[in-house]
Amino acid sequence: MRVFAVLSLILLLSACSETPTETKTKEPEKPSTPITAQQAFRYTYPASRAWAADSLPLRIRSMQLTGVPAEPGKAGAWEIIYVSQVQQEAKIYTWAAIEASETLHKDVFAGKAQAWSPSGQEKPFEASAFHIDTPAAVETAKTNSKAYLDKPGAKPPINFWLEFTPRFAEPVLRVMWGETAGSAEYTAIVGASSGQMLGKI
């Protein structure tokens, strides 16, 4: 009986002497950085090809997000419309640096396919025609927009819109001082293949 009492006492003392295990707190996730149009294209293109083997981009546009730091030629979110002429459908893919809303999720997210026919002004373009990335387009736009940039007053944040229409012989990057093509204070049009300044609005 005494032996059991001694053993119990030893076990109790050894249990009390054990150092408590440390509880590691998980570090908060670092905010993702904004990316360029070509990076967004490279992230979403494989997913679009898994949906339709003939998918091509129809339009690429940037979206600035609160909480994502601004960097020249980059955006916190991108929306790319891909189309399939075989399936006669279009599908929107987005990339976002953060979980922004119920419809704009972090990383690559695919929307639902919708009916599409090649009847509008915008035309799908080959990936090989998209040589010039948005940082380079910004530099070209600024170099050729001195009159606008020298005007007094704060300028709106820059956004981007990439499209291919009959107006130009190549896809173009609209470098827009403003949120949309319709509301932009000033727009410089840069060739996505040539990198040349093609117009101003």
Side-chain angles (χ1 to χ4, degrees), residues 61-62 156-161 176-185:
R61 76 177 183 99
S62 65
I158 295 175
N159 280 284
F160 304 94
W161 182 289
M176 307 179 298
W177 276 264
E179 285 191 17
T180 65
S183 65
E185 188 175 283

Side-chain angles (χ1 to χ4, degrees), residues 16-99:
C16 292
S17 64
E18 287 181 4
T19 55
T21 57
E22 292 182 7
T23 304
K24 291 185 178 180
T25 56
K26 187 180 178 182
E27 291 183 9
E29 188 177 350
K30 293 179 180 178
S32 296
T33 57
I35 62 174
T36 69
Q38 281 190 350
Q39 287 175 309
F41 173 72
R42 288 197 296 268
Y43 290 155
T44 56
Y45 188 59
S48 78
R49 281 284 164 141
W51 159 64
D54 69 322
S55 72
L56 290 173
L58 181 72
R59 183 193 310 152
I60 301 176
R61 76 177 183 99
S62 65
M63 293 177 280
Q64 303 296 336
L65 298 181
T66 303
V68 179
E71 293 183 25
K74 298 182 180 182
W78 293 88
E79 177 190 270
I80 305 181
I81 300 176
Y82 289 95
V83 297
S84 166
Q85 301 209 39
V86 172
Q87 298 183 20
Q88 296 285 286
E89 289 182 330
K91 200 169 187 179
I92 295 175
Y93 287 80
T94 57
W95 179 93
I98 58 175
E99 191 74 14

